[in-house]
Amino acid sequence: MASDAPLNAQVNAQANALAHENILEAASEWLKSGRRVALATVVSTWGSSPRPVGSQLAVDDKGAMIGSVSGGCIEGAVVQEALAAIEDGKPRVLDFGVTHEQAWAVGLACGGKVQVYVERME
Amino acid sequence: MKRDLLGALLAARAAKTPIAIATRLDTGAQALVGPTPIGGAQTRGDLALDADSLAAVRLALAGDTSGTIETPSGRMFVQVYNPPLRLIVVGAVHIAQALVPMAALAGYAVVVVDPRRAFATDARFPNTAVTTEWPDDAMTRLAPDRRTAVVTLTHDPKLDDPALTVALKSDAFYIAALGSRKTHDARLKRLKDAGFDASVLARIHGPAGLAIGAKSPAEIALSVMAQATQVLHAKAGTGG
């Protein structure tokens, strides 16, 4: 199975990048290199939601992301709030879901609800 | 999150120590909490916790459950960071070549054990921790804990049995052995003769994996990962 070896290497590298464990480490490296960073964490979910409580997304001042707080449906809005938190230093709690007034714009396709806490790393 | 708190959190994770961070979402105040005091203090950070609140955070940590809790010190979000899951694969066989990357993708730190040097090569398992120690030596050194899964794949009693013997004496959350029902019955008999009770032997999932009609190495690996996931979450759900 000559094809297995490169596949293995590739997938292991991907797994390292995907692992939840590495998001804070990556954020710490960003801070050390002088980038400003905010951390978003899923703190509550209701109904079906793509990522469980505790899922995290680190965002830098250029909008670069590592990790996730949803299947991609709310990341755009979370990044905007993260950039604002990097500027003003205030933590915020964001609610997303079908009852949210912006639901039609950034709602969850799955119909669930999710609450995300955004804080500046300092 | 303050940088010194992040540093202490990362240090705990690097040391594979369970650690939790409690956050008041209204103020952003945070406390770092371990199962035992950290550097002589019960907590670190700018969030003060009374004894009952501290106990509540430690309970969440022990239960591996992140979430919002009500405490005498207020409503707070507790994020639990437990050491990573580990998978010990005994047998650097073809199925292992599929199982290793799948487990890595699922977030497991993977170690492959096989004293047969023709199997345990870097070419077959690139970027993977591979050891050619004898399975009982390797298993004793790796010391499986309740965040560890052990899967034997060799079909060879000389290799599988010593690994299973160490695994059964450990807290490993998932133990599985590849092989047909007949092979498994013979294995259970040998281990029974070696002194293991039936209740202890019942911890071994054999034949390994969920019954999904798996045929190819990748399909068998998938069925094993599915079963390990099922057992992991069943145990977390019952608090066991």
Side-chain angles (χ1 to χ4, degrees):
Chain A
M1 299 300 292
S3 65
D4 285 350
L7 177 66
N8 242 334
Q10 209 179 337
V11 175
N12 280 344
Q14 274 174 12
N16 286 335
L18 278 172
H20 162 76
E21 279 71 31
N22 294 329
I23 293 162
L24 287 178
E25 279 77 1
S28 174
E29 290 306 312
W30 282 355
L31 285 172
K32 280 181 195 156
S33 68
R35 292 152 83 171
R36 296 188 299 157
V37 183
L39 182 68
T41 304
V42 175
V43 293
S44 305
T45 63
W46 296 266
S48 81
S49 67
R51 298 285 285 123
V53 168
S55 302
Q56 292 185 313
L57 170 75
V59 180
D60 80 353
D61 48 0
K62 298 280 194 302
M65 300 186 281
I66 182 161
S68 67
V69 288
S70 77
C73 35
I74 62 169
E75 265 76 3
V78 171
V79 167
Q80 289 310 310
E81 292 291 334
L83 293 173
I86 286 173
E87 286 308 318
D88 67 18
K90 291 188 186 122
R92 48 257 279 158
V93 177
L94 314 175
D95 286 291
F96 296 96
V98 287
T99 60
H100 192 271
E101 57 187 15
Q102 291 181 354
W104 53 273
V106 291
L108 294 171
C110 51
K113 286 199 251 178
V114 56
Q115 193 172 56
V116 178
Y117 177 69
V118 180
E119 62 187 315
R120 183 167 75 179
M121 315 279 282
E122 24 201 325
Chain B
M1 190 185 297
K2 303 276 195 302
R3 207 175 284 218
D4 62 332
L5 215 59
L6 176 63
L9 174 58
L10 294 183
R13 278 154 53 100
K16 309 239 185 290
T17 309
I19 194 90
I21 190 154
T23 306
R24 283 285 299 258
L25 300 187
D26 49 351
T27 64
Q30 290 180 316
L32 200 64
V33 177
T36 55
I38 307 157
Q42 286 295 347
T43 66
R44 285 188 64 163
D46 56 356
L47 173 61
L49 295 179
D50 60 79
D52 286 349
S53 305
L54 180 63
V57 175
R58 287 201 171 131
L59 191 65
L61 179 56
D64 195 21
T65 310
S66 297
T68 304
I69 58 170
E70 299 286 350
T71 77
S73 300
R75 192 161 185 264
M76 59 189 71
F77 175 71
V78 179
Q79 171 86 313
V80 171
Y81 297 96
N82 263 313
L85 295 165
R86 281 192 301 166
L87 171 66
I88 302 173
V89 179
V90 178
V93 297
H94 196 180
I95 288 168
Q97 288 177 278
L99 184 59
V100 167
M102 277 186 203
L105 268 174
Y108 288 75
V110 185
V111 184
V112 177
V113 179
D114 200 323
R116 301 169 299 180
R117 287 172 196 277
F119 286 87
T121 65
D122 287 343
R124 285 165 57 86
F125 295 93
N127 300 339
T128 305
V130 178
T131 172
T132 53
E133 288 169 279
W134 203 252
D136 45 356
D137 291 339
M139 290 285 294
T140 302
R141 182 174 62 79
L142 294 167
D145 58 22
R146 63 186 190 86
R147 303 273 295 166
T148 307
V150 178
V151 179
T152 66
L153 301 175
T154 73
H155 294 92
D156 182 345
K158 287 198 305 297
L159 299 171
D160 284 354
D161 287 9
L164 291 170
T165 298
V166 179
L168 287 171
K169 291 174 182 164
S170 78
D171 290 335
F173 76 87
Y174 176 70
I175 304 171
L178 198 71
S180 68
R181 221 162 272 287
K182 201 172 147 196
T183 306
H184 190 57
D185 287 344
R187 173 185 299 131
L188 291 178
K189 181 162 187 319
R190 286 192 308 274
L191 291 169
K192 186 162 173 281
D193 291 346
F196 284 104
D197 286 346
S199 61
V200 174
L201 292 176
R203 289 178 64 198
I204 306 175
H205 293 266
L210 295 182
I212 56 172
K215 297 265 186 294
S216 72
E219 289 173 353
I220 293 166
L222 187 64
S223 79
V224 169
M225 281 314 300
Q227 189 174 47
T229 306
Q230 184 182 52
V231 172
L232 173 70
H233 293 305
K235 286 198 174 164
T238 56

